[in-house]
Amino acid sequence: MLQQFGFTQYESKVYESLVSAGEPLDATSIVKLSGVPRAKVYEVLHRMGEKGMILESTVEKKRLYSALPLESAIEKLKADFDSHINELRKAKVKQAAADDRIWTLKENHSIQALMKSLINNAADSIIISGWSDDFAAYLPLLEEKYLQGAEVTIHVIGEISTTIPTVTTLIPDTNHEQLEKSRILIADGQEMLFAGIEDNKWQAIHTMSRPLVKFFTEFFYHDVALTKITGRYKDTIMKDPAICDLLLTLRY
């Protein structure tokens, strides 16, 4: 019966030997009565002691063991069972499966509305990039999230005025003729939206797919790195046609 409560066969045999003996036993006697190998008996006795199923005492330098009385053992097992049941009740019945689907969305106002919702729902971190004229719609929300303790990181094309310190600014010049408007938003490192213009219309994808979230996070920091590199070493870069052409074949 003890095995039904998760005790091993050896543990059950040791307890049975002690409870049926009616008196304290030493390890040698337990080996003889239970059939548990001598090499295992001390390990088993230690586990049973940790589980509160046996009592231990040292008498004249001899270690003796006695079983927790049967009624007490039954009461203990019942209390353990009730405790496990209560823990099970507290456990989540079902976890939401990860949503790896990619959703598409059209129309600028709809895309902006979804971006505001993602910003509002973000708890820990927000990564966002876009053009300065776009940020007018999101800055108040972003600054509110920043004040609430969220980590907000911005990459902007053009200048904005904000209290958020982690802003990287790219000021376009004549070398950025191919620069296209786009938006990236990554909330809590788990959910992302990417929007761009195709056929003069805004279109977006929205997903929680981990590979895509990771890709666009790296894409965002790629832009940040290029902005900082070109800003600091612009004169050097522009004097080297090969490097200049290579950088301009990237996003900008």
Side-chain angles (χ1 to χ4, degrees), residues 71-84:
E71 287 300 321
S72 298
I74 291 171
E75 184 66 25
K76 169 201 160 37
L77 294 175
K78 181 177 181 298
D80 287 348
F81 181 79
D82 289 343
S83 176
H84 295 327

Side-chain angles (χ1 to χ4, degrees), residues 1-3 7-23 25 29-30 33-36 44-45 48 53-54 66-68 70 73:
M1 288 300 298
L2 286 179
Q3 291 180 58
F7 291 85
T8 67
Q9 185 179 25
Y10 284 170
E11 290 171 345
S12 302
K13 285 183 175 182
V14 164
Y15 182 82
E16 182 184 4
S17 300
L18 287 170
V19 80
S20 60
E23 62 179 0
L25 299 175
S29 300
I30 293 171
L33 287 174
S34 67
V36 174
V44 174
L45 287 167
M48 291 296 279
M53 291 295 288
I54 62 173
S66 181
L68 184 70
L70 188 58

Side-chain angles (χ1 to χ4, degrees), residues 134-175:
D134 268 349
F135 271 89
Y138 317 120
L139 262 184
L141 288 174
L142 293 169
E143 290 175 343
E144 183 179 346
K145 283 292 180 178
Y146 174 72
L147 291 175
Q148 291 172 0
E151 183 180 349
V152 180
T153 307
I154 296 173
H155 180 262
V156 59
I157 316 300
E159 292 184 318
I160 58 172
S161 176
T162 178
T163 56
I164 299 171
T166 46
V167 178
T168 305
T169 304
L170 171 67
I171 305 300
D173 59 27
T174 55
N175 292 298

Side-chain angles (χ1 to χ4, degrees), residues 224-242:
V224 170
L226 285 181
T227 296
K228 290 186 175 182
I229 290 170
T230 53
R232 180 169 296 184
Y233 303 107
K234 182 176 180 180
D235 292 339
T236 303
I237 290 171
M238 294 309 171
K239 290 177 182 178
D240 189 324

Side-chain angles (χ1 to χ4, degrees), residues 4-250:
Q4 303 300 317
F5 288 91
F7 291 85
T8 67
Q9 185 179 25
Y10 284 170
E11 290 171 345
S12 302
K13 285 183 175 182
V14 164
Y15 182 82
E16 182 184 4
S17 300
L18 287 170
V19 80
S20 60
E23 62 179 0
L25 299 175
D26 60 14
T28 301
S29 300
I30 293 171
V31 168
K32 290 178 181 178
L33 287 174
S34 67
V36 174
R38 179 175 291 277
K40 293 285 187 180
V41 71
Y42 287 104
E43 178 188 336
V44 174
L45 287 167
H46 175 75
R47 290 202 305 266
M48 291 296 279
E50 291 294 310
K51 293 178 179 180
M53 291 295 288
I54 62 173
L55 296 84
E56 305 176 38
S57 181
T58 302
V59 180
E60 296 179 353
K61 297 183 181 181
K62 194 173 188 178
R63 196 70 171 166
L64 297 177
Y65 304 89
S66 181
L68 184 70
L70 188 58
E71 287 300 321
S72 298
I74 291 171
E75 184 66 25
K76 169 201 160 37
L77 294 175
K78 181 177 181 298
D80 287 348
F81 181 79
D82 289 343
S83 176
H84 295 327
I85 290 295
N86 288 334
E87 289 299 317
L88 184 60
R89 285 196 178 103
K90 295 176 186 176
K92 292 182 179 179
V93 176
K94 183 180 179 181
Q95 283 189 330
D99 186 356
D100 289 336
R101 292 169 292 189
I102 300 171
W103 302 90
T104 59
L105 180 64
K106 298 179 180 180
E107 208 280 317
N108 188 35
H109 290 158
S110 297
I111 294 169
Q112 288 182 325
L114 180 56
M115 289 184 71
K116 289 180 182 179
S117 176
L118 294 177
I119 293 170
N120 269 323
N121 293 332
D124 301 313
S125 66
I126 299 167
I127 291 173
I128 185 169
S129 73
W131 287 63
S132 55
D133 54 355
D134 268 349
F135 271 89
Y138 317 120
L139 262 184
L141 288 174
L142 293 169
E143 290 175 343
E144 183 179 346
K145 283 292 180 178
Y146 174 72
L147 291 175
Q148 291 172 0
E151 183 180 349
V152 180
T153 307
I154 296 173
H155 180 262
V156 59
I157 316 300
E159 292 184 318
I160 58 172
S161 176
T162 178
T163 56
I164 299 171
T166 46
V167 178
T168 305
T169 304
L170 171 67
I171 305 300
D173 59 27
T174 55
N175 292 298
H176 294 102
E177 295 174 356
Q178 303 302 316
L179 192 59
E180 296 179 352
K181 279 199 170 185
S182 64
R183 300 165 184 156
I184 296 176
L185 172 62
I186 301 164
D188 292 333
Q190 298 177 345
E191 191 169 4
M192 61 78 53
L193 182 146
F194 172 76
I197 295 178
E198 186 174 342
D199 296 329
N200 296 318
K201 295 180 180 178
W202 280 97
Q203 300 192 44
I205 60 170
H206 170 228
T207 186
M208 296 178 70
S209 166
R210 289 186 178 182
L212 281 176
V213 171
K214 181 181 179 182
F215 173 83
F216 278 96
T217 301
E218 292 176 353
F219 188 79
F220 172 88
Y221 284 109
H222 149 279
D223 279 0
V224 170
L226 285 181
T227 296
K228 290 186 175 182
I229 290 170
T230 53
R232 180 169 296 184
Y233 303 107
K234 182 176 180 180
D235 292 339
T236 303
I237 290 171
M238 294 309 171
K239 290 177 182 178
D240 189 324
I243 296 177
C244 183
D245 290 345
L246 178 61
L247 287 175
L248 292 174
T249 60
L250 300 176

